Amino acid sequence: MAVLEILQFPDLTLRRRAATIPQIDEAIHRLAQDMAETMYVAPGIGLAAPQVGVPQRLIVVDLSAGERPGELITLINPEIVCKEGELRMEEGCLSVPDLRETVARCRRVVVKGMDLEGRAVELEGEDLLAVALQHEIDHLDGILFLDHLSQLKRSRYAAKVRKAGSAGS
Ligand code: ZN
């Protein structure tokens, strides 16, 4: 396994719509393993392939951040098929450092996709799991949690990143 580099805002790869994975081969297995490893080292509770520079529809989620065995969820070509309720929770993102903001999401989602064996899976998530799934699936469509914030908060953050970029080196 390997720890991959996590791309950060405003990297344009994060803005691309990721492609459907046509077949699950050895490379996809390796990518999924490396993504889990990368997420645990960060540490985080979710990671999407575009965040490590791979524009393909693959996400990993582990609400225990690797603390509890068996909690890792790997989903290929995930799709949200049902959304219910409303929830406001503070979010952060490994690709959007130094920012935590409250985002409005659906409280409950049903997600369809495939596991690494190519079996169809249907997963129901509530509360934190629902938020994590929506956040990671957004990444596959080039959407960052920033995009759910007000224009003012977004432009403030972008300005901060620009300033930090020009101050450094
Ligand atoms: Zn994220």
PDB file of all heavy atoms in Angstrom, residues 87 89-91 103 105-107 109 125-136:
ATOM      1  N   LEU A  87     -30.301  18.226   7.634  1.00  0.00           N
ATOM      2  CA  LEU A  87     -29.323  18.123   8.691  1.00  0.00           C
ATOM      3  C   LEU A  87     -28.279  19.209   8.459  1.00  0.00           C
ATOM      4  O   LEU A  87     -27.868  19.439   7.334  1.00  0.00           O
ATOM      5  CB  LEU A  87     -28.682  16.737   8.580  1.00  0.00           C
ATOM      6  CG  LEU A  87     -27.508  16.349   9.448  1.00  0.00           C
ATOM      7  CD1 LEU A  87     -27.970  16.238  10.884  1.00  0.00           C
ATOM      8  CD2 LEU A  87     -26.981  15.005   8.993  1.00  0.00           C
ATOM      9  N   MET A  89     -24.464  20.142   9.668  1.00  0.00           N
ATOM     10  CA  MET A  89     -23.331  19.596  10.406  1.00  0.00           C
ATOM     11  C   MET A  89     -22.056  20.314   9.964  1.00  0.00           C
ATOM     12  O   MET A  89     -21.946  20.721   8.805  1.00  0.00           O
ATOM     13  CB  MET A  89     -23.227  18.098  10.101  1.00  0.00           C
ATOM     14  CG  MET A  89     -22.510  17.301  11.174  1.00  0.00           C
ATOM     15  SD  MET A  89     -22.373  15.566  10.726  1.00  0.00           S
ATOM     16  CE  MET A  89     -23.861  14.872  11.425  1.00  0.00           C
ATOM     17  N   GLU A  90     -21.106  20.435  10.879  1.00  0.00           N
ATOM     18  CA  GLU A  90     -19.836  21.051  10.520  1.00  0.00           C
ATOM     19  C   GLU A  90     -19.010  20.070   9.698  1.00  0.00           C
ATOM     20  O   GLU A  90     -18.903  18.906  10.066  1.00  0.00           O
ATOM     21  CB  GLU A  90     -19.070  21.449  11.784  1.00  0.00           C
ATOM     22  CG  GLU A  90     -17.994  22.473  11.489  1.00  0.00           C
ATOM     23  CD  GLU A  90     -17.176  22.831  12.705  1.00  0.00           C
ATOM     24  OE1 GLU A  90     -16.440  21.948  13.216  1.00  0.00           O
ATOM     25  OE2 GLU A  90     -17.269  23.971  13.152  1.00  0.00           O
ATOM     26  N   GLU A  91     -18.467  20.548   8.596  1.00  0.00           N
ATOM     27  CA  GLU A  91     -17.671  19.683   7.723  1.00  0.00           C
ATOM     28  C   GLU A  91     -16.294  20.285   7.477  1.00  0.00           C
ATOM     29  O   GLU A  91     -16.098  21.491   7.556  1.00  0.00           O
ATOM     30  CB  GLU A  91     -18.359  19.513   6.356  1.00  0.00           C
ATOM     31  CG  GLU A  91     -19.617  18.698   6.420  1.00  0.00           C
ATOM     32  CD  GLU A  91     -20.249  18.483   5.042  1.00  0.00           C
ATOM     33  OE1 GLU A  91     -19.522  18.383   4.039  1.00  0.00           O
ATOM     34  OE2 GLU A  91     -21.489  18.413   4.999  1.00  0.00           O
ATOM     35  N   VAL A 103     -22.647  22.840   6.936  1.00  0.00           N
ATOM     36  CA  VAL A 103     -23.263  22.650   5.627  1.00  0.00           C
ATOM     37  C   VAL A 103     -24.620  21.978   5.828  1.00  0.00           C
ATOM     38  O   VAL A 103     -24.771  21.109   6.686  1.00  0.00           O
ATOM     39  CB  VAL A 103     -22.368  21.744   4.741  1.00  0.00           C
ATOM     40  CG1 VAL A 103     -23.018  21.477   3.391  1.00  0.00           C
ATOM     41  CG2 VAL A 103     -20.987  22.359   4.559  1.00  0.00           C
ATOM     42  N   ARG A 105     -27.307  19.416   4.618  1.00  0.00           N
ATOM     43  CA  ARG A 105     -27.365  18.199   3.786  1.00  0.00           C
ATOM     44  C   ARG A 105     -28.650  17.458   4.093  1.00  0.00           C
ATOM     45  O   ARG A 105     -29.401  17.822   4.990  1.00  0.00           O
ATOM     46  CB  ARG A 105     -26.207  17.255   4.154  1.00  0.00           C
ATOM     47  CG  ARG A 105     -24.824  17.804   4.017  1.00  0.00           C
ATOM     48  CD  ARG A 105     -24.259  17.559   2.654  1.00  0.00           C
ATOM     49  NE  ARG A 105     -22.839  17.902   2.590  1.00  0.00           N
ATOM     50  CZ  ARG A 105     -22.168  17.932   1.447  1.00  0.00           C
ATOM     51  NH1 ARG A 105     -22.747  17.624   0.311  1.00  0.00           N
ATOM     52  NH2 ARG A 105     -20.885  18.250   1.454  1.00  0.00           N
ATOM     53  N   CYS A 106     -28.864  16.348   3.388  1.00  0.00           N
ATOM     54  CA  CYS A 106     -29.981  15.475   3.707  1.00  0.00           C
ATOM     55  C   CYS A 106     -29.592  14.578   4.874  1.00  0.00           C
ATOM     56  O   CYS A 106     -28.442  14.153   4.982  1.00  0.00           O
ATOM     57  CB  CYS A 106     -30.354  14.624   2.507  1.00  0.00           C
ATOM     58  SG  CYS A 106     -30.868  15.635   1.127  1.00  0.00           S
ATOM     59  N   ARG A 107     -30.571  14.298   5.728  1.00  0.00           N
ATOM     60  CA  ARG A 107     -30.290  13.494   6.919  1.00  0.00           C
ATOM     61  C   ARG A 107     -30.110  12.011   6.591  1.00  0.00           C
ATOM     62  O   ARG A 107     -29.387  11.300   7.267  1.00  0.00           O
ATOM     63  CB  ARG A 107     -31.431  13.660   7.931  1.00  0.00           C
ATOM     64  CG  ARG A 107     -31.261  12.834   9.208  1.00  0.00           C
ATOM     65  CD  ARG A 107     -32.328  13.133  10.243  1.00  0.00           C
ATOM     66  NE  ARG A 107     -32.204  14.497  10.732  1.00  0.00           N
ATOM     67  CZ  ARG A 107     -31.345  14.874  11.690  1.00  0.00           C
ATOM     68  NH1 ARG A 107     -30.545  13.992  12.237  1.00  0.00           N
ATOM     69  NH2 ARG A 107     -31.285  16.118  12.085  1.00  0.00           N
ATOM     70  N   VAL A 109     -29.718   9.062   3.357  1.00  0.00           N
ATOM     71  CA  VAL A 109     -29.560   8.765   1.936  1.00  0.00           C
ATOM     72  C   VAL A 109     -29.519   7.255   1.712  1.00  0.00           C
ATOM     73  O   VAL A 109     -29.164   6.486   2.609  1.00  0.00           O
ATOM     74  CB  VAL A 109     -28.249   9.356   1.333  1.00  0.00           C
ATOM     75  CG1 VAL A 109     -28.262  10.870   1.346  1.00  0.00           C
ATOM     76  CG2 VAL A 109     -27.018   8.824   2.042  1.00  0.00           C
ATOM     77  N   GLY A 125     -27.582   5.314   4.723  1.00  0.00           N
ATOM     78  CA  GLY A 125     -26.797   6.076   5.689  1.00  0.00           C
ATOM     79  C   GLY A 125     -27.620   7.168   6.335  1.00  0.00           C
ATOM     80  O   GLY A 125     -28.433   7.811   5.669  1.00  0.00           O
ATOM     81  N   GLU A 126     -27.393   7.350   7.627  1.00  0.00           N
ATOM     82  CA  GLU A 126     -28.070   8.425   8.349  1.00  0.00           C
ATOM     83  C   GLU A 126     -27.037   9.285   9.044  1.00  0.00           C
ATOM     84  O   GLU A 126     -25.941   8.827   9.373  1.00  0.00           O
ATOM     85  CB  GLU A 126     -29.000   7.841   9.416  1.00  0.00           C
ATOM     86  CG  GLU A 126     -30.356   7.464   8.863  1.00  0.00           C
ATOM     87  CD  GLU A 126     -31.311   7.030   9.968  1.00  0.00           C
ATOM     88  OE1 GLU A 126     -30.969   7.149  11.158  1.00  0.00           O
ATOM     89  OE2 GLU A 126     -32.400   6.581   9.617  1.00  0.00           O
ATOM     90  N   ASP A 127     -27.398  10.531   9.312  1.00  0.00           N
ATOM     91  CA  ASP A 127     -26.565  11.457  10.083  1.00  0.00           C
ATOM     92  C   ASP A 127     -25.143  11.542   9.514  1.00  0.00           C
ATOM     93  O   ASP A 127     -24.987  11.826   8.344  1.00  0.00           O
ATOM     94  CB  ASP A 127     -26.599  11.072  11.569  1.00  0.00           C
ATOM     95  CG  ASP A 127     -28.039  11.111  12.105  1.00  0.00           C
ATOM     96  OD1 ASP A 127     -28.776  12.018  11.709  1.00  0.00           O
ATOM     97  OD2 ASP A 127     -28.409  10.228  12.885  1.00  0.00           O
ATOM     98  N   LEU A 128     -24.117  11.239  10.341  1.00  0.00           N
ATOM     99  CA  LEU A 128     -22.735  11.434   9.884  1.00  0.00           C
ATOM    100  C   LEU A 128     -22.424  10.604   8.631  1.00  0.00           C
ATOM    101  O   LEU A 128     -21.753  11.079   7.715  1.00  0.00           O
ATOM    102  CB  LEU A 128     -21.746  11.087  11.010  1.00  0.00           C
ATOM    103  CG  LEU A 128     -20.262  11.291  10.673  1.00  0.00           C
ATOM    104  CD1 LEU A 128     -19.965  12.735  10.269  1.00  0.00           C
ATOM    105  CD2 LEU A 128     -19.372  10.887  11.855  1.00  0.00           C
ATOM    106  N   LEU A 129     -22.915   9.374   8.583  1.00  0.00           N
ATOM    107  CA  LEU A 129     -22.659   8.547   7.391  1.00  0.00           C
ATOM    108  C   LEU A 129     -23.318   9.162   6.157  1.00  0.00           C
ATOM    109  O   LEU A 129     -22.727   9.189   5.072  1.00  0.00           O
ATOM    110  CB  LEU A 129     -23.142   7.107   7.616  1.00  0.00           C
ATOM    111  CG  LEU A 129     -22.915   6.148   6.439  1.00  0.00           C
ATOM    112  CD1 LEU A 129     -21.451   6.105   6.007  1.00  0.00           C
ATOM    113  CD2 LEU A 129     -23.410   4.744   6.771  1.00  0.00           C
ATOM    114  N   ALA A 130     -24.536   9.672   6.321  1.00  0.00           N
ATOM    115  CA  ALA A 130     -25.228  10.320   5.198  1.00  0.00           C
ATOM    116  C   ALA A 130     -24.430  11.531   4.717  1.00  0.00           C
ATOM    117  O   ALA A 130     -24.262  11.748   3.511  1.00  0.00           O
ATOM    118  CB  ALA A 130     -26.642  10.735   5.603  1.00  0.00           C
ATOM    119  N   VAL A 131     -23.913  12.304   5.662  1.00  0.00           N
ATOM    120  CA  VAL A 131     -23.127  13.497   5.318  1.00  0.00           C
ATOM    121  C   VAL A 131     -21.848  13.096   4.581  1.00  0.00           C
ATOM    122  O   VAL A 131     -21.513  13.661   3.537  1.00  0.00           O
ATOM    123  CB  VAL A 131     -22.789  14.312   6.594  1.00  0.00           C
ATOM    124  CG1 VAL A 131     -21.742  15.386   6.298  1.00  0.00           C
ATOM    125  CG2 VAL A 131     -24.060  14.949   7.161  1.00  0.00           C
ATOM    126  N   ALA A 132     -21.158  12.084   5.119  1.00  0.00           N
ATOM    127  CA  ALA A 132     -19.897  11.649   4.503  1.00  0.00           C
ATOM    128  C   ALA A 132     -20.149  11.155   3.075  1.00  0.00           C
ATOM    129  O   ALA A 132     -19.389  11.475   2.154  1.00  0.00           O
ATOM    130  CB  ALA A 132     -19.250  10.556   5.355  1.00  0.00           C
ATOM    131  N   LEU A 133     -21.206  10.379   2.882  1.00  0.00           N
ATOM    132  CA  LEU A 133     -21.497   9.856   1.541  1.00  0.00           C
ATOM    133  C   LEU A 133     -21.826  10.993   0.569  1.00  0.00           C
ATOM    134  O   LEU A 133     -21.339  11.015  -0.564  1.00  0.00           O
ATOM    135  CB  LEU A 133     -22.661   8.859   1.608  1.00  0.00           C
ATOM    136  CG  LEU A 133     -22.317   7.513   2.277  1.00  0.00           C
ATOM    137  CD1 LEU A 133     -23.600   6.734   2.588  1.00  0.00           C
ATOM    138  CD2 LEU A 133     -21.389   6.676   1.414  1.00  0.00           C
ATOM    139  N   GLN A 134     -22.633  11.949   1.013  1.00  0.00           N
ATOM    140  CA  GLN A 134     -22.970  13.071   0.133  1.00  0.00           C
ATOM    141  C   GLN A 134     -21.723  13.886  -0.198  1.00  0.00           C
ATOM    142  O   GLN A 134     -21.519  14.304  -1.344  1.00  0.00           O
ATOM    143  CB  GLN A 134     -24.025  13.969   0.803  1.00  0.00           C
ATOM    144  CG  GLN A 134     -25.403  13.315   0.838  1.00  0.00           C
ATOM    145  CD  GLN A 134     -26.372  14.073   1.759  1.00  0.00           C
ATOM    146  OE1 GLN A 134     -27.049  14.984   1.329  1.00  0.00           O
ATOM    147  NE2 GLN A 134     -26.421  13.689   3.018  1.00  0.00           N
ATOM    148  N   HIS A 135     -20.872  14.114   0.808  1.00  0.00           N
ATOM    149  CA  HIS A 135     -19.642  14.880   0.616  1.00  0.00           C
ATOM    150  C   HIS A 135     -18.728  14.192  -0.408  1.00  0.00           C
ATOM    151  O   HIS A 135     -18.228  14.826  -1.343  1.00  0.00           O
ATOM    152  CB  HIS A 135     -18.938  15.029   1.979  1.00  0.00           C
ATOM    153  CG  HIS A 135     -17.643  15.780   1.944  1.00  0.00           C
ATOM    154  ND1 HIS A 135     -17.442  16.944   2.651  1.00  0.00           N
ATOM    155  CD2 HIS A 135     -16.473  15.516   1.304  1.00  0.00           C
ATOM    156  CE1 HIS A 135     -16.203  17.369   2.422  1.00  0.00           C
ATOM    157  NE2 HIS A 135     -15.589  16.520   1.618  1.00  0.00           N
ATOM    158  N   GLU A 136     -18.537  12.870  -0.245  1.00  0.00           N
ATOM    159  CA  GLU A 136     -17.616  12.162  -1.147  1.00  0.00           C
ATOM    160  C   GLU A 136     -18.194  12.020  -2.548  1.00  0.00           C
ATOM    161  O   GLU A 136     -17.468  12.137  -3.540  1.00  0.00           O
ATOM    162  CB  GLU A 136     -17.264  10.773  -0.584  1.00  0.00           C
ATOM    163  CG  GLU A 136     -16.549  10.795   0.767  1.00  0.00           C
ATOM    164  CD  GLU A 136     -15.403  11.790   0.872  1.00  0.00           C
ATOM    165  OE1 GLU A 136     -14.732  12.056  -0.139  1.00  0.00           O
ATOM    166  OE2 GLU A 136     -15.204  12.323   1.976  1.00  0.00           O
TER     167      GLU A 136
END
